[in-house]
Amino acid sequence: MTLMPRAFAEGSSESNIINGQINLQSDISKLNVDITNVAGNVDAASVAGGNNAEIVTMNNTNVRNTQYVGSGADIVSIVNADATNVGGTTSISSEAVCNQISISTDPHDVNVNSGQDCNATDPYSQVNASVTNAGNDVSIASQALGNSFEEDTNAPNTWIKNIQTNNSTEESVVNAQLTNINGNAALSSVAIGNTAQIVHY
């Protein structure tokens, strides 16, 4: 990949960032919880990821990002949760991501060249949850992603190149039983091969 930088103003601060990540092995996260009689909030979360990067700058910025996950990798996140008599909110989540990058900048000029390649067997996310007698809201979410790219900036001059290649199978599963919920209940299951969010303001 070749960056195509813009000319920065003389005397301005500049950040040049090169991020290269390669993952060839499996990443597995499992959370088994049994929760009873909690007066406050409950938050149970499991995350499995191949490659992850977060870049935050306040300068003019060049970013070159390459993330690769090999075909022998298995990325799995599983949550088994039983929650009974929770007085506050109950949040249960699972996330499996092959490649993920988040870029946030606050300068005048930004150039981003990003390439993500996911060949994992299956980013797989599963939530098995039973919630009984919840005093407030209940949120249960599962998410499986191949490649995820996020970039936000208020720079007036911006050049972005984002290429995502996914050769994996994404699977997200939620099995939930809710009883006596004294609030709102939100459940979601998401499986996406490639996702990108670019915000310029």
Side-chain angles (χ1 to χ4, degrees), residues 83-183:
T84 304
N85 300 331
V86 177
T89 61
T90 303
S91 177
I92 302 169
S93 65
S94 175
E95 180 179 3
V97 185
C98 201
N99 294 309
Q100 186 171 36
I101 186 167
S102 173
I103 303 168
S104 178
T105 58
D106 252 346
H108 190 271
D109 298 273
V110 174
N111 306 287
V112 177
N113 194 338
S114 178
Q116 297 172 311
D117 190 356
C118 177
N119 296 285
T121 303
D122 59 344
Y124 179 87
S125 176
Q126 181 172 343
V127 174
N128 303 306
S130 175
V131 180
T132 305
N133 300 333
N136 210 316
D137 297 342
V138 173
S139 174
I140 298 174
S142 174
Q143 181 171 255
L145 301 175
N147 296 308
S148 176
F149 174 90
E150 295 181 4
E151 189 267 349
D152 72 85
T153 184
N154 63 359
N157 300 314
T158 308
W159 181 86
I160 305 293
K161 181 179 180 182
N162 176 47
I163 297 176
Q164 296 173 312
T165 303
N166 181 51
N167 191 34
S168 65
T169 299
E170 284 69 41
E171 186 173 358
S172 175
V173 177
V174 172
N175 299 305
Q177 180 176 340
L178 308 181
T179 306
N180 297 332
I181 308 302
N182 191 28

Side-chain angles (χ1 to χ4, degrees), residues 3-9 12-19 54-65 101-114 151-161 200:
L3 283 173
M4 297 177 60
R6 299 179 184 272
F8 293 159
S12 65
S13 298
E14 177 179 335
S15 295
N16 294 299
I17 299 167
I18 298 176
N19 178 62
E54 181 177 0
I55 298 170
V56 179
T57 74
M58 300 297 172
N59 305 319
N60 292 322
T61 304
N62 287 314
V63 177
R64 177 182 174 183
N65 173 63
I101 186 167
S102 173
I103 303 168
S104 178
T105 58
D106 252 346
H108 190 271
D109 298 273
V110 174
N111 306 287
V112 177
N113 194 338
S114 178
E151 189 267 349
D152 72 85
T153 184
N154 63 359
N157 300 314
T158 308
W159 181 86
I160 305 293
K161 181 179 180 182
H200 292 172

